[in-house]
Amino acid sequence: MDDTQQESRAVEDQNTGNGAERTKLAVLTSGGDAQGMNAVVRAVVRTAIHEGAVPYGVHEGWRGAVEGGNLIREMGWSDVSGILNLGGTTIGTARCSEFRERAGRRRAVKNLVRLGIDRIVAIGGDGTLTGADALRSEWPSLVDELVQAGELEPDLAARHHTAHLAGVVGSIDNDLVGSDMTVGADSALHRILEAIDALASTAAAHQRTFIVEVMGRNCGYLALMGAISGGCDYTFIPEMPPPVGWEDELCDKLRAGRAAGRRDSIIVVAEGAKDRAGAPIHAADVRDLLTERLGEDVRVTSLGHVQRGGTPSAYDRWMPTLLGYSAALDVLRADEHHQSHIIATRHNRVTAIPMMEAVANTRAVKNHLEQGEYDEAVASRGASYKSMISTFEKLSSPVHPDHSSPAEHSLPSSAGRRPRVALLHAGGLAPGMNTAARAAVRLGEDRGFTMLGVDGGFPGLLDERIHELTWAQVDLWTGTGGAELGTRRTIPTIDQYYALGRVLEQHQIDAVLMIGGFSGYQAVWEMLHERNRYPAFKIPFVCVPASIDNNLPGSELSIGADTALNNVTETLDRIKQSASASRRCFVAETMGRRCGYLALMSGISSGAEQVYLNETGITLDQLTHDAKAMVATFTRGRRLYLVVRNEAASPYYTTDLITRVFAAEGDGIFDVRPAVLGHMQQGGNPSPFDRTLAVQLTSAAIDELSAQITAGKQTSSYVGMREGELQVHPVSHMDEQIDMETRLSYDPWWLGLTEVLYAVGDRSYQEELTEFTL
């Protein structure tokens, strides 16, 4: 569509609906690309259509707005089909020097207003969003200038005299102050961890040191989280330069690691790392230092732009979808008092931050670094960032030959010995259990505990399969899937409590750390109520949530759920691809028991048309409606229809029955196939998110155990993360947060996201509702 055709279409739109002009919204991506940008674009376009507005795509970023013409094009529903799993940005991105000048922004306003556009969603970094806010503030005066110059008609200018903008930060650096995670950061961490995991094996084979250089500019998020998740030895980040004399410290740490039996050493360097004098620290500098002082074979791997590329992670699909949905609604519902916002994530929720306040706070970090105000720079990143720096220091510090640490002397001993903490798993397997166990051993040793591993869960405890765990034994557990200690769903029965109590006494166990699912929580809950009869149970029990079902009390996310979601999303991508050569409906079944988290979130991240959950149920009327809608869409040319069903969505409407119903109603127009995903959801190495979550939750659990042992308390508790904060809850009140019969948390935070699924899915469910009457 050329300029004349587009402007003619704009005039037609302005004259439809009894003189009411249709609202028009533009979406653009600018600056560096990031995985997940396509999810934002898709959500903005489809939300606009869902709300009755007309979406336009501005191609090649702000350059497209300045140049206009065919670079600003109307977008339809199908224009954003099939892009959810693609990296980069399908509408292109570019940096534009002209837009930095008022004259360039004047041209952009002219091109946009001529098409009736005065609402914009801009996706990019701080430069993109700074330009967006400048455009918004100058918009009225620029419109006036264009009218005075005869370049805009007065009536058209009057209708679009004010602009409404929203921004979404697309940046792998994760450097926006006030936001937990920017679009693309999680996927970049996936690329980094894939590289570190691969390098670890070859490094161990040759007893070699690798230095991995990662992106991030002035933010060390990727380097820090990569180092923690990869079990690395040292990291250099901009916000916390190493102390003077770091060269000696680094060499001593690597020597200690070799002495403890480590065959590999991996160091992560952020591209913006500097020393205390402000001199850059490059990977090559570190390599030369280690080669000279240690005589080791040191190799450098600079990951470069591979961190930006590839398929977005599940998180970088569902969260950007929420951000795009919210950004579109923000500008479409804006009034004259509306201010520009950045739509961001905070505490696992979508939030609106004043645009320039966020940009100013983000740029202030750079000033802190230039002034040597490192504590302020770290504080700007948030309390959890500071905490993770401290945790990494403990995880990576050398262990003394006798496994002692300075911290142990602050703990009360029992009969002149160190407190003995038993570590076990219970419930179904969850990726990340090994990561949590490794962190527990290292952090427990740092607190002066003797850590005991229990093989095979509670049955193993009864069978006395108990052994001491050392740092060297668990060192390689960071990124491995499965559970090296084993896990069982079987829990002790009341007639086994006496024997269990005897085991605890004979092995002088002072506390128990349970990393696992609901079965483990239930065991601790039941033992708590028998403490008066069995005094051996009067020791601290602390539970850490690890379950792909994501149904545990006190925590919005459990260890393993993100990995399972990525596994499901990747499999659904392949299922959709397999149907591209046919006309087929797939009914995919996910795990989760009665909890629909995996089903709903994988539905959003894979672009499913329908999701069936236990929480919302399935009715015959609903199946009838869905079958009719399916027939109609396939008749109009659809090639694929994806349905995701939670395994316990209904005891009657099973995956097999639903498949048969749809096949019967299809009557040869399309095929229907079931896809029960099964235990692959529990497999694979843990995702970066699950690794960092495991470290955070386990660190909180060790803190709780330490506090109880120091104070002589005997409380049973469980740790979790809610709204971005680590919390500890007493097991005695567990039934206030979860239904003990259904194993479902009360008021799950994610259930309200069903409306987003139906608003932006590959075929809007609400749109289908208007086409069929039951």
Side-chain angles (χ1 to χ4, degrees):
M1 189 182 293
D2 60 25
D3 291 359
T4 304
Q5 289 174 316
Q6 291 224 59
E7 290 184 26
S8 297
R9 175 64 180 273
V11 173
E12 290 175 13
D13 288 338
Q14 291 162 17
N15 294 327
T16 59
N18 297 320
E21 183 178 354
R22 297 176 66 190
T23 302
K24 296 180 180 178
L25 177 154
V27 60
L28 62 88
T29 54
S30 185
D33 66 304
Q35 308 97 319
M37 280 184 165
N38 283 325
V40 184
V41 172
R42 174 179 175 270
V44 170
V45 169
R46 291 188 170 179
T47 303
I49 295 172
H50 191 264
E51 293 292 308
V54 181
Y56 281 75
V58 179
H59 294 252
E60 313 307 333
W62 289 121
R63 181 167 71 83
V66 172
E67 295 183 11
N70 201 41
L71 292 178
I72 307 176
R73 302 197 292 270
E74 183 178 339
M75 301 187 75
W77 195 273
S78 61
D79 290 329
V80 290
S81 292
I83 70 171
L84 192 56
N85 63 323
L86 301 179
T89 163
T90 56
I91 60 174
T93 180
R95 290 180 170 85
C96 180
S97 58
E98 290 180 77
F99 188 75
R100 296 173 185 169
E101 306 297 330
R102 182 178 173 88
R105 294 191 288 273
R106 184 176 184 271
R107 290 177 60 190
V109 170
K110 175 182 175 181
N111 291 326
L112 293 169
V113 171
R114 278 186 170 178
L115 294 172
I117 299 169
D118 56 13
R119 294 161 200 266
I120 303 169
V121 174
I123 308 160
D126 57 357
T128 298
L129 302 180
T130 299
D133 193 72
L135 182 71
R136 181 202 61 82
S137 62
E138 295 174 355
W139 187 285
S141 62
L142 291 173
V143 169
D144 291 341
E145 287 181 18
L146 291 165
V147 171
Q148 292 171 6
E151 298 178 56
L152 282 180
E153 297 79 7
D155 59 336
L156 179 62
R159 291 195 300 273
H160 303 286
H161 197 260
T162 303
H164 302 290
L165 280 91
V168 175
V169 178
S171 170
I172 68 168
D173 300 338
N174 197 33
D175 56 353
L176 177 69
V177 173
S179 175
D180 294 338
M181 188 78 81
T182 56
V183 174
D186 186 65
S187 298
L189 262 182
H190 275 256
R191 301 295 95 79
I192 292 169
L193 261 294
E194 288 165 5
I196 290 176
D197 287 349
L199 290 172
S201 60
T202 186
H206 296 275
Q207 283 195 297
R208 182 173 286 163
T209 296
F210 273 90
I211 302 170
V212 181
E213 187 175 68
V214 302
M215 288 181 166
R217 293 195 297 178
N218 294 313
C219 181
Y221 175 86
L222 291 179
L224 177 62
M225 298 307 168
I228 290 173
S229 303
C232 299
D233 300 84
Y234 207 92
T235 185
F236 295 89
I237 60 174
E239 298 91 343
M240 187 58 67
V244 175
W246 62 266
E247 296 89 346
D248 294 332
E249 178 189 68
L250 173 59
C251 292
D252 290 344
K253 178 176 282 192
L254 296 188
R255 287 192 190 98
R258 288 285 189 267
R262 290 202 68 169
R263 292 184 58 86
D264 69 296
S265 298
I266 297 181
I267 300 163
V268 182
V269 180
E271 64 179 352
K274 296 181 179 180
D275 64 17
R276 293 276 165 170
I281 298 177
H282 299 298
D285 301 329
V286 181
R287 177 198 60 201
D288 295 343
L289 168 74
L290 297 179
T291 300
E292 177 185 345
R293 293 201 183 183
L294 301 182
E296 289 203 3
D297 183 10
V298 183
R299 303 295 175 88
V300 172
T301 298
S302 181
L303 299 184
H305 284 77
V306 71
Q307 296 162 86
R308 293 186 185 275
T311 301
S313 65
Y315 181 90
D316 272 331
R317 300 190 200 190
W318 69 260
M319 183 55 81
T321 295
L322 303 190
L323 295 176
Y325 171 80
S326 301
L329 293 181
D330 184 68
V331 295
L332 289 173
R333 297 174 181 178
D335 57 22
E336 63 273 13
H337 304 296
H338 178 267
Q339 65 171 323
S340 298
H341 290 128
I342 290 178
I343 307 301
T345 61
R346 183 180 293 168
H347 308 325
N348 213 34
R349 302 291 190 278
V350 174
T351 186
I353 310 173
M355 185 175 290
M356 289 317 296
E357 174 186 319
V359 171
N361 290 339
T362 299
R363 292 185 169 178
V365 176
K366 183 179 180 181
N367 294 331
H368 288 317
L369 296 178
E370 291 174 349
Q371 298 299 318
E373 299 166 345
Y374 303 119
D375 289 341
E376 289 81 355
V378 170
S380 297
R381 301 292 185 211
S384 64
Y385 193 77
K386 180 178 181 179
S387 174
M388 291 301 269
I389 292 175
S390 175
T391 299
F392 175 72
E393 287 299 318
K394 296 173 184 176
L395 288 173
S396 62
S397 294
V399 181
H400 297 290
D402 62 352
H403 309 301
S404 66
S405 76
E408 73 176 81
H409 303 295
S410 65
L411 291 172
S413 61
S414 178
R417 60 175 173 78
R418 293 157 40 128
R420 293 164 63 84
V421 177
L423 168 63
L424 60 83
H425 301 306
L429 176 65
M433 280 181 163
N434 281 332
T435 311
R438 175 185 184 271
V441 171
R442 181 64 193 94
L443 296 174
E445 287 184 340
D446 185 70
R447 292 302 182 100
F449 301 154
T450 295
M451 300 300 296
L452 306 174
V454 180
D455 293 328
F458 282 103
L461 186 59
L462 280 164
D463 293 340
E464 300 186 65
R465 286 184 279 159
I466 304 166
H467 53 92
E468 184 174 346
L469 288 173
T470 65
W471 175 236
Q473 290 174 297
V474 302
D475 185 35
L476 299 179
W477 290 9
T478 303
T480 57
E484 291 294 324
L485 291 175
T487 183
R488 295 280 299 279
R489 286 192 170 91
T490 306
I491 61 175
T493 57
I494 194 165
D495 60 328
Q496 295 174 315
Y497 281 180
Y498 176 77
L500 183 60
R502 290 289 295 160
V503 170
L504 293 174
E505 291 172 343
Q506 289 171 3
H507 287 269
Q508 299 179 312
I509 293 174
D510 300 304
V512 174
L513 178 62
M514 194 289 300
I515 302 170
F518 186 83
S519 297
Y521 282 66
Q522 185 178 17
V524 174
W525 161 270
E526 292 175 356
M527 292 167 67
L528 173 68
H529 291 85
E530 297 293 332
R531 279 186 164 186
N532 290 334
R533 296 177 59 189
Y534 303 96
F537 294 173
K538 292 182 178 181
I539 59 174
F541 283 78
V542 177
C543 301
V544 175
S547 170
I548 70 166
D549 298 343
N550 198 38
N551 65 333
L552 297 173
S555 195
E556 294 178 343
L557 292 168
S558 299
I559 299 165
D562 183 71
T563 305
L565 180 57
N566 276 281
N567 290 341
V568 173
T569 301
E570 181 180 354
T571 303
L572 292 178
D573 281 350
R574 294 180 179 182
I575 286 174
K576 293 177 69 173
Q577 191 176 45
S578 76
S580 62
S582 60
R583 298 160 63 81
R584 181 166 292 170
C585 165
F586 273 99
V587 182
E589 180 181 290
T590 66
M591 286 177 144
R593 295 178 179 264
R594 290 189 178 95
C595 180
Y597 174 83
L598 273 182
L600 177 58
M601 304 310 284
S602 64
I604 295 174
S605 61
S606 64
E609 283 73 30
Q610 181 58 286
V611 171
Y612 298 132
L613 310 175
N614 168 72
E615 289 84 354
T616 54
I618 308 175
T619 66
L620 183 58
D621 282 350
Q622 182 181 17
L623 290 178
T624 303
H625 168 270
D626 290 347
K628 290 182 177 180
M630 203 177 298
V631 169
T633 57
F634 275 107
T635 301
R636 289 197 295 266
R638 174 176 286 276
R639 301 169 69 94
L640 169 69
Y641 202 102
L642 179 61
V643 175
V644 180
R645 177 187 178 274
N646 162 240
E647 63 180 347
S650 169
Y652 309 107
Y653 300 114
T654 63
T655 297
D656 180 66
L657 186 145
I658 293 172
T659 300
R660 292 173 181 272
V661 168
F662 289 165
E665 294 300 314
D667 195 26
I669 299 173
F670 54 89
D671 296 330
V672 186
R673 296 286 188 274
V676 179
L677 304 187
H679 286 80
M680 52 75 55
Q681 297 162 83
Q682 294 178 299
N685 293 337
S687 68
F689 184 91
D690 275 334
R691 298 189 202 187
T692 54
L693 180 65
V695 170
Q696 289 176 295
L697 292 173
T698 304
S699 177
I702 293 295
D703 286 346
E704 174 65 12
L705 282 175
S706 180
Q708 288 199 41
I709 291 172
T710 301
K713 294 183 178 180
Q714 305 163 348
T715 306
S716 291
S717 56
Y718 54 93
V719 299
M721 183 157 320
R722 294 174 64 89
E723 296 189 8
E725 294 184 1
L726 290 166
Q727 299 178 358
V728 180
H729 303 273
V731 170
S732 58
H733 293 278
M734 188 166 71
D735 58 343
E736 297 173 7
Q737 294 186 323
I738 191 171
D739 186 317
M740 299 297 290
E741 293 298 321
T742 65
R743 303 185 177 190
L744 292 177
S745 296
Y746 300 121
D747 192 26
W749 64 272
W750 49 266
L751 191 56
L753 303 183
T754 51
E755 66 180 71
V756 181
L757 171 81
Y758 294 137
V760 305
D762 271 344
R763 174 63 180 172
S764 169
Y765 186 66
Q766 297 298 326
E767 187 178 344
E768 289 169 358
L769 280 176
T770 65
E771 297 185 14
F772 302 101
T773 345
L774 295 175

